[in-house]
Coordinates of all heavy atoms in Angstrom, one line a residue:
H185 N 6.3 -2.5 -4.7 CA 7.6 -2.6 -4.0 C 8.2 -3.9 -4.2 O 8.5 -4.7 -3.3 CB 7.5 -2.3 -2.5 CG 8.5 -1.4 -1.9 ND1 9.2 -1.7 -0.8 CD2 9.1 -0.2 -2.4 CE1 10.1 -0.8 -0.5 NE2 10.0 0.1 -1.5
N189 N 7.6 -8.4 -0.5 CA 6.9 -7.8 0.6 C 5.6 -8.7 0.9 O 5.2 -9.4 0.0 CB 6.6 -6.3 0.4 CG 5.6 -6.1 -0.7 OD1 4.4 -6.4 -0.5 ND2 6.1 -5.7 -1.8
S191 N 2.4 -8.2 1.3 CA 1.2 -8.2 0.5 C 1.4 -8.7 -1.0 O 0.5 -9.5 -1.5 CB 0.6 -6.7 0.4 OG 1.6 -5.8 0.1
H221 N 3.6 -4.2 8.5 CA 3.5 -3.9 7.1 C 2.7 -2.7 6.9 O 3.0 -1.6 7.5 CB 3.0 -5.2 6.4 CG 3.1 -5.1 4.9 ND1 3.9 -4.3 4.2 CD2 2.5 -5.9 3.9 CE1 3.8 -4.5 2.9 NE2 2.9 -5.5 2.7
H268 N 13.4 -1.1 7.8 CA 12.9 -1.8 6.6 C 13.7 -3.1 6.4 O 14.9 -3.2 6.8 CB 13.1 -0.9 5.4 CG 12.2 -1.3 4.3 ND1 12.6 -2.3 3.4 CD2 11.0 -1.0 3.9 CE1 11.6 -2.5 2.5 NE2 10.6 -1.7 2.8
A269 N 13.0 -4.1 5.9 CA 13.7 -5.4 5.7 C 14.7 -5.3 4.6 O 15.7 -6.1 4.6 CB 12.6 -6.4 5.4
D275 N 13.9 6.0 2.8 CA 13.0 5.6 1.7 C 12.7 6.8 0.8 O 12.2 7.8 1.3 CB 11.7 5.0 2.4 CG 10.8 4.3 1.4 OD1 10.8 4.6 0.2 OD2 10.0 3.4 1.9
R277 N 10.3 7.2 -1.0 CA 8.9 7.5 -1.0 C 8.6 8.5 0.2 O 7.7 9.3 0.2 CB 8.1 6.2 -0.8 CG 8.3 5.3 -2.0 CD 7.6 3.9 -1.7 NE 8.2 3.2 -0.6 CZ 7.8 2.0 -0.1 NH1 6.7 1.5 -0.7 NH2 8.4 1.5 0.9
V322 N 8.2 4.4 4.0 CA 7.1 5.2 3.4 C 6.0 5.6 4.4 O 5.4 6.7 4.2 CB 6.4 4.3 2.3 CG1 5.7 3.1 2.8 CG2 5.5 5.1 1.4
F345 N -3.5 2.7 1.3 CA -2.3 1.9 0.9 C -2.8 0.7 0.0 O -2.3 0.4 -1.0 CB -1.6 1.4 2.2 CG -0.2 0.9 2.0 CD1 0.7 0.9 3.0 CD2 0.2 0.3 0.8 CE1 2.0 0.4 2.9 CE2 1.5 -0.2 0.7 CZ 2.4 -0.2 1.7
R349 N -1.7 -0.3 -3.6 CA -0.9 -1.6 -3.8 C -1.6 -2.5 -4.8 O -0.9 -3.3 -5.4 CB -0.7 -2.2 -2.4 CG 0.1 -3.5 -2.4 CD 1.5 -3.3 -3.1 NE 2.3 -2.3 -2.6 CZ 3.3 -2.3 -1.8 NH1 3.6 -3.5 -1.2 NH2 4.1 -1.3 -1.5
Ligands
MLT402 C1 6.2 -2.1 1.0 O1 6.0 -1.1 0.4 O2 5.7 -3.2 0.7 C2 7.1 -2.0 2.3 O3 8.0 -1.1 2.2 C3 7.5 -3.4 2.8 C4 8.6 -4.1 2.0 O4 9.0 -3.8 0.9 O5 9.0 -5.1 2.5

Side-chain angles (χ1 to χ4, degrees):
H185 220 230
N189 65 74
S191 47
H221 191 18
H268 200 275
D275 192 332
R277 301 171 296 175
V322 66
F345 193 155
R349 182 51 55 97

